[in-house]
Every structure is written in structure tokens, then in C-alpha cells.
Amino acid sequence: MNKTIILLLIALFFYSCTRKGKVGECQIHVDMIDLDHASMVDSLTYSAYFHSPQIIPLETNSNCIIQKVHRIDIFKNKIYILDTKSSRLMAFDINGHYLNDIGRRGHGDGEYLEISDFSIDRENEVVYIWDELIGNAIKYDLISGKYINTIHHGNDGNQCYDMIFSNNKLYVNHTTKTKSQDNFMIKEIDLETGKISNVYLDANTYNKAWTLPLRNNNTGFFMRSTSIPKFAGMFSDTIMAITENGIIPAYCIKSEKLANKNDLGKIIDYYDKSGLYSFDTIEKEEKIFGIFNYLEFGNAIHFSFNKGGERFTLLYDKTSKQALKTKSFGDNFILNSGICYLDLIYCDGSQTVAILQTDAIPIFIDYAIHSNRLNSQINNYEALKAIAGKKDNNPILFIYKIK
């Protein structure tokens, strides 16, 4: 698609995307995913989409204790793990052996105070780390880990915590606690000066006026390691595509039960008075909110959403335009029977990764290993079974090739 056509699509989108009543209706001609007409099924399993996983217990020693994986990336047979609790970016080999950290905490050149995100420039083999506390992007050589330079953007009082490098541009999310005109959702940062070079997606239009810095580990930028990443605000009904020629709509979400501006306005008012978030009202009314864990694998689009106090998963077939939704989507390879529930955390188009976080391992040991449900035919069976005899365990990755 040439640049002229893309620019025309962008113009059409801004002209025709409107919200009517309680239903967010995006009228541009992109695929409409109708949650109300998606077929509800009891369960969906990984085997319909993936091959049996490669199981990788991440090495556990005093040099690489992982409290909680926030983000991962895989590049040239290395696994990069961001633990925001310990504020570390760690590199492991493809078998899970710890290699090294990239950068370190401190106040000097090439050091950071608090990592909230990272993104790999695959062409030039460098990695950008976003220091949320200061508001700077720090650049390192991915192979040697050597510090290159810092892009000084600065903290303007607004919390920015999601970052992606794509098509030679650096994008960061934007929030504000005040009711101002600066309510855009994404800012582009100049790689030389660190200044804002462009802004995108007015929150009134694309996120039902929500600008508060509420975050979820699996929202914001998606499909980060692909040529066309995606983005959605926590309360948006439009999935955006980040292309080399601009940010344009990819898919629109439709439902009579989507939380609307009035619903979110009540939450914002409560936050202004108390400093706390309360979703009691929209949960009691069984409103739909939160688009997270967005992934694309094979011919399927996957994302999760909240309805009331429950979590649902939707799988949409891009060819048939059919959608399925369920409360139960999980791995049916790992156990002899039943489903193992894991968090899908990464997809690059050829493989997807699910994770068993550290705090979930004791539950897994009790349910799968002590109860003899573990499937002895799976890859790395002995290593997975051995975690039951260890006092401490780092998270376990499950890498699935896409069918």
C-alpha cells in the first residue's frame, strides 16, 4: 500500500470515526469485532493454534532472581526479561541460562533509576530502556551491553511508562492527572533532541476521555517485535496499527455493553476526590472494559477483556470473520487431562510465549506435579517436574510454534 493511500485512510478515519450513545461505533471500513455476537464456548485450547511447547525453566541463582516478569522479547536465540519490581533487564540464552544484565541502577552515565519498559531495534541491534522516573530513553548495544547514549526527554509531571521503537521512531504513552488540552495518548520522541516531535490519538476520541495513569502489564503496545505493532488504550474500542506511514485503525470493537464516557467519568470523579480507583459501578452493571493481552497468531486475533468482575478471552478468525469467546483458554499439552492456565505474554508472528510466574509456581506444583497430572511426554518433562524439589524457582517459559 503506497503512502498516498495510507494518508487517505488516516484522513477518512479522523472524519468518520464517531461514538453514538452507549455503543462505540467506528465507521471506517476495517474489521468490526462484535463481542455481543461472538459465540460463547465452554473452553478453547492451545492445540487448536499451537504445537506442543518448548519448556524453559529460567535459571535460578543469586545473580538473577526474578520477582515478576513484566515484558519479554526474543532475538537471535536470546531471551530478554524485564523485571520491573527489581528494575532489571536480564538476558538469558534460549535454554534459560542467565547471561548478563543490560545497564544498571545508578545516577551516572548509562545508568537508570527505574525501568518500566524496553524495546529492541532489530536492524541495528540496539536496545532502548525507558527510565520512567526520569523520563529518559537509554540506548545500549544489544550484543555487548555497552552504553551508547541517553535521549534526554525529561519528566514533565505526567507518567509515561510504555515505550516502543518501531520503523525508526520512538513512541511513548502519555497520561495526565489534570483535565487539560494535552490529553493525547502517544507521543513520538526525537531520537536526537529528546523533544516531542509528534503526538497521536486524542484521549477524548480514542479512550473515552480517560487520561489517568492507570496501567496494566498487558495493555498499551502489542505485537512489539513485528513490523506492524498494535496499540490500544485501556478503554479504547479501536485497535491501532503503528505503520511506517502513520498510526491507523486496524480493528474496531463493538458491544452494547462497552463502558462509555459517562461510566468512566464517575470513576474519574471518584479518583479526583479520593485518589483511588473504583470499578464497582461498571462491574455491577456488567460493563465491558479493558482490552489486554492482544496477540495475533496464524489467522487468529486474540485478546482478553473484562465484563463485570469476570475475564473473557476472544479469538477472532481474520478469514471467516467469526469470533469465539470463552472464560477458559489454556494449555492442553502440559497435563494428562484438563487445561493449564498460563499468561500469554509475547508473540512475534511465528511463535508465542506463555509464562508461569514465580508466584503461581507453588499452585502449579500442587495441582500438576503432586497430583500426578503432569504429562510425561512433554518437552523438558524432567526439568519441569524437578521444580517441586526446589526452594526457589524463577518463572518458567512455554514457547509455542504457531500452526
Side-chain angles (χ1 to χ4, degrees):
M1 184 178 292
N2 64 41
K3 187 173 183 179
T4 301
I5 294 175
I6 290 178
L7 291 174
L8 286 172
L9 282 174
I10 295 171
L12 177 61
F13 177 75
F14 288 129
Y15 176 78
S16 62
C17 189
T18 62
R19 304 300 191 267
K20 296 182 179 180
K22 294 185 178 181
V23 182
E25 293 184 323
C26 181
Q27 295 178 345
I28 194 171
H29 296 293
V30 298
D31 280 4
M32 182 75 73
I33 302 175
D34 190 336
L35 302 183
D36 296 341
H37 289 88
S39 299
M40 186 71 190
V41 295
D42 290 336
S43 65
L44 293 168
T45 56
Y46 287 2
S47 62
Y49 303 92
F50 313 132
H51 297 285
S52 183
Q54 177 187 2
I55 300 171
I56 304 175
L58 296 175
E59 180 182 351
T60 306
N61 64 51
S62 59
N63 295 318
C64 59
I65 298 298
I66 299 174
Q67 297 180 51
K68 188 176 182 66
V69 175
H70 174 72
R71 187 91 63 220
I72 82 162
D73 203 344
I74 300 175
F75 181 62
K76 290 195 170 181
N77 286 324
K78 289 184 181 180
I79 304 168
Y80 296 90
I81 301 285
L82 173 59
D83 179 355
T84 50
K85 284 194 173 182
S86 63
S87 205
R88 295 174 65 186
L89 178 59
M90 291 171 261
F92 293 78
D93 69 19
I94 200 62
N95 295 311
H97 300 302
Y98 171 71
L99 299 174
N100 58 274
D101 276 35
I102 297 177
R104 63 181 181 182
R105 275 183 134 166
H107 295 272
D109 287 342
E111 296 178 333
Y112 54 81
L113 292 181
E114 187 174 318
I115 304 176
S116 64
D117 211 346
F118 78 101
S119 187
I120 295 174
D121 174 357
R122 282 164 153 72
E123 182 178 352
N124 296 301
E125 299 188 350
V126 299
V127 59
Y128 295 84
I129 284 178
W130 182 254
D131 187 337
E132 176 184 357
L133 199 61
I134 300 176
N136 292 339
I138 309 174
K139 187 176 177 181
Y140 301 88
D141 182 275
L142 193 60
I143 306 304
S144 67
K146 183 179 178 181
Y147 166 67
I148 299 174
N149 67 284
T150 298
I151 301 170
H152 296 278
H153 175 64
N155 190 328
D156 57 5
N158 299 319
Q159 288 181 265
C160 304
Y161 39 80
D162 285 344
M163 175 196 68
I164 188 170
F165 180 88
S166 179
N167 296 305
N168 294 311
K169 295 180 179 180
L170 190 65
Y171 300 99
V172 183
N173 83 302
H174 177 83
T175 67
T176 175
K177 293 183 179 180
T178 61
K179 296 177 180 178
S180 69
Q181 298 301 313
D182 295 330
N183 58 354
F184 51 87
M185 299 174 67
I186 297 177
K187 55 187 174 183
E188 180 186 331
I189 296 175
D190 187 277
L191 296 173
E192 299 296 329
T193 67
K195 295 180 179 180
I196 298 176
S197 57
N198 213 337
V199 298
Y200 307 87
L201 307 183
D202 174 73
N204 290 315
T205 304
Y206 298 103
N207 208 31
K208 300 182 177 70
W210 183 278
T211 62
L212 294 175
L214 179 65
R215 72 184 77 183
N216 181 305
N217 286 352
N218 301 307
T219 59
F221 297 107
F222 306 104
M223 300 297 292
R224 294 162 164 261
S225 61
T226 64
S227 60
I228 305 179
K230 303 299 191 296
F231 175 85
M234 186 173 289
F235 302 104
S236 177
D237 53 16
T238 308
I239 307 295
M240 308 300 295
I242 302 173
T243 76
E244 62 179 344
N245 295 307
I247 299 178
I248 62 174
Y251 300 97
C252 290
I253 312 300
K254 179 181 178 181
S255 172
E256 294 284 349
K257 298 294 288 184
L258 281 173
N260 58 39
K261 283 185 178 181
N262 290 333
D263 298 323
L264 300 182
K266 296 174 184 177
I267 299 173
I268 293 170
D269 290 342
Y270 184 81
Y271 177 87
D272 289 341
K273 295 175 183 177
S274 67
L276 301 173
Y277 296 109
S278 174
F279 291 85
D280 290 347
T281 302
I282 58 176
E283 287 183 352
K284 289 177 182 177
E285 295 179 1
E286 295 191 341
K287 292 296 184 74
I288 293 173
F289 64 98
I291 300 296
F292 54 98
N293 279 12
Y294 179 94
L295 301 169
E296 297 176 12
F297 38 78
N299 209 37
I301 290 172
H302 162 285
F303 61 83
S304 298
F305 62 91
N306 297 306
K307 182 179 182 183
E310 296 183 293
R311 171 176 166 173
F312 291 79
T313 295
L314 182 127
L315 285 146
Y316 174 79
D317 188 289
K318 289 184 280 188
T319 299
S320 68
K321 313 298 183 185
Q322 299 299 307
L324 302 173
K325 58 186 177 184
T326 184
K327 297 179 185 178
S328 176
F329 181 54
D331 182 293
N332 59 321
F333 296 107
I334 299 173
L335 308 180
N336 288 318
S337 60
I339 295 176
C340 182
Y341 297 101
L342 303 167
D343 290 327
L344 290 172
I345 194 171
Y346 171 88
C347 185
D348 61 13
S350 64
Q351 60 188 357
T352 190
V353 179
I355 188 169
L356 188 65
Q357 296 276 14
T358 301
D359 57 3
I361 289 177
I363 300 171
F364 178 83
I365 290 172
D366 183 60
Y367 180 77
I369 300 176
H370 288 166
S371 300
N372 294 317
R373 289 188 175 95
L374 198 62
N375 178 8
S376 61
Q377 302 303 310
I378 56 175
N379 164 269
N380 227 352
Y381 166 77
E382 294 296 338
L384 188 57
K385 188 176 181 181
I387 66 173
K390 297 178 181 178
K391 182 179 179 180
D392 297 307
N393 287 288
N394 267 339
I396 299 165
L397 302 182
F398 301 81
I399 301 181
Y400 304 84
K401 294 295 182 183
I402 297 167
K403 287 185 173 180

